[in-house]
Amino acid sequence: MRVVISLKKIVKIITCLLAFLIVGTTLAGCTNVRKRANDQDNWKKIEKKKKVVIGLDDSFVPMGFREKDGSLVGFDVDLAREVFKRYGIDVDFQTIDWSMKETELRNGTIDLIWNGYTVNPERKKTVAFSVPYLRNQQVLVSKKKENVYGAKSMKGKALGLQSGSSGYESYMSQPKLLKNYVKEAVQYDTFNNAFLDLNANRIQGLLIDSVYADYYVAHEPDPNSYRISDVGFESENFAVGMRKGDKTLQKKINVALAQMAKDGTLQKISNKWFGTTKMVPLKEIENQKID
């Protein structure tokens, strides 16, 4: 008995097989990328190239942002350059989509996330962190004319958030503090764009890092037209994020930060940008266990 298979069926079978192979290859590729990120120590490669790539949002004042002439400046920019200067390694800063930062890190596009990066339990699942070096808190910024004094004042109003930020994560995970009062939440790629909408009254509040809020408002033509309110979110720590496999890189950064806390360099950089009030106490940095 002959079995006749039509051309249409053959094409369908081949298509299914190709789809299966593509999915299988993609899954295997993802597994390999994840395994490499968790297991591979890249310090020797970085040391040989004498270059480390740092991903950042280049509009995050005062941590890392562009001057009018396009030059990159900021607290974290100075801090990173000083850390790697001590190892004879150049820093290549790469602007990234902040909502894709962990993906960029895992895929090897960047070596570090260093730009006001908050330590939290969710991120610890996929990212290794340095010792923390700066305190931060999520605060609510509004124009005084809106009469916003805290979370309850946002009832029926629109709130701005940065996509992929720790503020957004806190907003979603702790709805009783702010989310339950807000009528509408609008996500932005950068805080600069969010401030444009705040000033144009398209949103009435902005949940933002206190380091950014303090610096931005202080440099506005009329700082007194803004109000910065505490809505109850716990304080956070900024640290450097890296792949879990990069144990040597983690140790090198930790050692350098401890040295800088001890020799006064960290204090000097902090004073340049915003004083000492937000720094993790120097003794905490010096005394933290360096694995």
Side-chain angles (χ1 to χ4, degrees):
M1 181 176 69
R2 291 189 304 167
V3 178
V4 179
I5 302 177
S6 68
L7 180 60
K8 188 175 181 180
K9 284 186 176 181
I10 293 173
V11 171
K12 186 175 181 181
I13 291 169
I14 292 173
T15 302
C16 290
L17 287 171
L18 286 173
F20 178 79
L21 288 171
I22 290 170
V23 170
T25 302
T26 301
L27 290 174
C30 290
T31 301
N32 289 337
V33 168
R34 192 178 300 110
K35 180 175 174 55
R36 188 162 58 246
N38 289 336
D39 299 339
Q40 185 170 303
D41 191 315
N42 296 285
W43 177 251
K44 288 186 177 179
K45 291 182 181 179
I46 292 170
E47 199 172 32
K48 184 178 180 179
K49 291 190 298 184
K50 294 190 178 300
K51 185 180 78 171
V52 65
V53 182
I54 294 178
L56 82 165
D57 165 10
D58 64 0
S59 65
F60 187 17
V61 297
M63 310 309 287
F65 62 101
R66 300 283 176 184
E67 295 274 36
K68 289 182 179 180
D69 63 2
S71 59
L72 187 65
V73 297
F75 177 86
D76 276 339
V77 172
D78 286 353
L79 195 63
R81 284 175 174 158
E82 177 61 32
V83 163
F84 287 104
K85 178 183 176 183
R86 297 178 180 226
Y87 296 110
I89 293 171
D90 293 327
V91 179
D92 179 11
F93 291 98
Q94 184 169 311
T95 303
I96 58 173
D97 179 345
W98 195 245
S99 66
M100 296 294 291
K101 55 193 175 299
E102 287 85 8
T103 301
E104 298 274 17
L105 181 67
R106 184 176 64 245
N107 291 345
T109 310
I110 59 175
D111 298 308
L112 297 168
I113 303 171
W114 197 334
N115 189 214
Y117 190 42
T118 300
V119 181
N120 65 34
E122 189 62 30
R123 288 172 176 172
K124 281 185 174 181
K125 293 177 183 177
T126 56
V127 176
F129 284 94
S130 71
V131 294
Y133 57 85
L134 200 73
R135 296 269 194 259
N136 181 54
Q137 189 174 18
Q138 296 301 319
V139 295
L140 180 65
V141 179
S142 61
K143 299 290 285 185
K144 285 183 178 177
K145 63 182 180 180
E146 294 296 333
N147 295 317
V148 173
Y149 298 93
K152 292 181 179 179
S153 305
M154 284 298 296
K155 188 173 182 179
K157 293 181 169 64
L159 176 77
L161 303 146
Q162 185 185 30
S163 300
S165 67
S166 60
Y168 177 79
E169 292 174 13
S170 296
Y171 173 79
M172 295 300 293
S173 64
Q174 302 175 66
K176 291 182 179 180
L177 290 180
L178 182 59
K179 186 174 185 290
N180 289 352
Y181 298 103
V182 173
K183 178 182 179 181
E184 178 188 8
V186 183
Q187 294 187 55
Y188 296 89
D189 56 346
T190 68
F191 283 130
N192 278 355
N193 290 335
F195 263 108
L196 288 175
D197 273 7
L198 181 72
N199 292 330
N201 199 37
R202 285 187 283 268
I203 58 174
Q204 291 72 54
L206 174 59
L207 188 65
I208 186 172
D209 300 85
S210 60
V211 293
Y212 191 118
D214 293 344
Y215 190 91
Y216 182 96
V217 169
H219 288 78
E220 280 292 276
D222 184 13
N224 290 326
S225 66
Y226 294 89
R227 179 177 288 112
I228 300 176
S229 307
D230 180 0
V231 288
F233 291 107
E234 293 182 2
S235 63
E236 307 167 339
N237 284 325
F238 284 165
V240 187
M242 64 210 78
R243 291 178 287 270
K244 285 183 176 290
D246 280 322
K247 302 294 186 184
T248 306
L249 180 58
Q250 183 184 40
K251 183 176 181 179
K252 295 288 185 181
I253 292 172
N254 286 346
V255 167
L257 287 173
Q259 290 174 347
M260 290 163 65
K262 190 173 183 178
D263 66 24
T265 307
L266 191 57
Q267 185 86 49
K268 183 179 178 181
I269 295 173
S270 179
N271 287 341
K272 174 182 175 180
W273 290 103
F274 39 62
T276 61
T277 56
K278 295 183 182 300
M279 289 179 60
V280 170
L282 299 182
K283 287 296 181 184
E284 283 190 32
I285 298 174
E286 291 175 356
N287 295 336
Q288 286 187 74
K289 182 181 177 182
I290 307 297
D291 295 327

